[in-house]
Amino acid sequence: MIDRQDNIKIERINPTNVPAPVGKYSHVTKIPKNADIYAFSGQIGVDSEGNLPTDFSEQIVNTMSNISGLLSSEEMTPDNIIKVNIWATKELDWDFFDEEWDKFFGEQSPSMTVGYITELGLPEIKIEIEIWAAK
């Protein structure tokens, strides 16, 4: 597994000539020259046994766990993530979401987009999170 300190080449920037982010993300994520870029399929809240809970918060926790597993499979950590796209079918509980986000990313948040949509691939899916990473 990669030590989080080994990944200092990815830069997270919030320029002073634009308004500060309204959430926990960076306006700009700079990827080092010659880095490999990874595009991951969107992850949903199924658990390790393939069950999808009906509770929205449980789906969020499972989704973050699945993302962690993807990163591990490629010997990466959350520090390698350069972009996060989040689609949800209902409004996020930002207090809960930010707590999970902080557990996952710590102080270094990647660039992020959030969209509320009416439906995902299956009616019972309430959230899908797609990541891009580099190393």
Side-chain angles (χ1 to χ4, degrees):
M1 180 149 282
I2 294 176
D3 179 11
R4 291 177 77 104
Q5 297 300 316
D6 289 343
N7 195 29
I8 59 174
K9 294 181 182 178
I10 292 175
E11 294 181 60
R12 308 200 190 280
I13 305 162
N14 287 310
T16 58
N17 64 332
V18 297
V22 297
K24 297 183 179 217
Y25 60 89
S26 299
H27 280 306
V28 178
T29 300
K30 185 177 176 184
I31 304 150
K33 182 178 180 178
N34 298 324
D36 289 327
I37 307 294
Y38 295 74
F40 294 90
S41 295
Q43 295 300 298
I44 61 171
V46 295
D47 65 19
S48 60
E49 297 175 8
N51 300 311
L52 184 65
T54 56
D55 182 74
F56 190 39
S57 295
E58 286 182 59
Q59 285 194 25
I60 290 169
V61 170
N62 289 348
T63 299
M64 299 305 275
S65 176
N66 294 337
I67 290 169
S68 182
L70 284 176
L71 291 170
S72 293
S73 75
E74 295 299 321
E75 298 181 338
M76 290 191 274
T77 71
D79 287 342
N80 293 97
I81 296 176
I82 57 175
K83 177 70 169 130
V84 177
N85 294 315
I86 302 168
W87 294 279
T89 60
K90 61 183 272 183
E91 186 175 351
L92 293 169
D93 171 350
W94 284 104
D95 291 334
F96 178 82
F97 189 85
D98 283 348
E99 186 177 312
E100 293 302 310
W101 185 267
D102 289 347
K103 284 186 219 174
F104 193 78
F105 287 107
E107 297 294 315
Q108 295 293 315
S109 294
S111 299
M112 174 180 59
T113 300
V114 177
Y116 293 112
I117 59 175
T118 57
E119 196 170 310
L120 286 158
L122 297 170
E124 57 271 16
I125 300 171
K126 298 176 182 173
I127 189 163
E128 185 167 345
I129 301 177
E130 172 192 18
I131 61 167
W132 289 71
K135 75 171 184 174

